[in-house]
Amino acid sequence: MTNKHPITECIETQLQAYLTDLKGTPPSNIYQMVLAVVEKPMLELVMRHAKQNQSLAAQYLGINRNTLHKKLVEHQLLR
């Protein structure tokens, strides 16, 4: 048994349920679907934790502040 991160286990379980629910219908755009479902809540949570400070949030995320800003715009998370 491997020690998987709980988030990994959750994503695997939910993705398997999604694929099973398709009942043989070919899936499409799984990559974009998973990114959208995971990325937006992650950004919301980190921005709250950083008290809306984009520089600090970018540091927490390990990404460039400009990249964070672009993602916040994409997900319509700017006030």
Side-chain angles (χ1 to χ4, degrees), residues 13-62:
T13 299
Q14 294 305 313
L15 191 52
Q16 184 58 57
Y18 169 76
L19 293 170
T20 300
D21 287 347
L22 290 176
K23 295 180 169 85
T25 302
S28 66
N29 298 323
I30 293 175
Y31 181 78
Q32 282 304 117
M33 177 190 70
V34 171
L35 282 185
V37 169
V38 171
E39 192 172 55
K40 185 174 181 177
M42 176 186 63
L43 293 172
E44 290 172 324
L45 182 67
V46 171
M47 286 298 293
R48 277 196 307 272
H49 188 73
K51 297 179 176 49
Q52 304 307 314
N53 181 318
Q54 289 183 32
S55 295
L56 186 57
Q59 183 180 340
Y60 291 163
L61 291 164

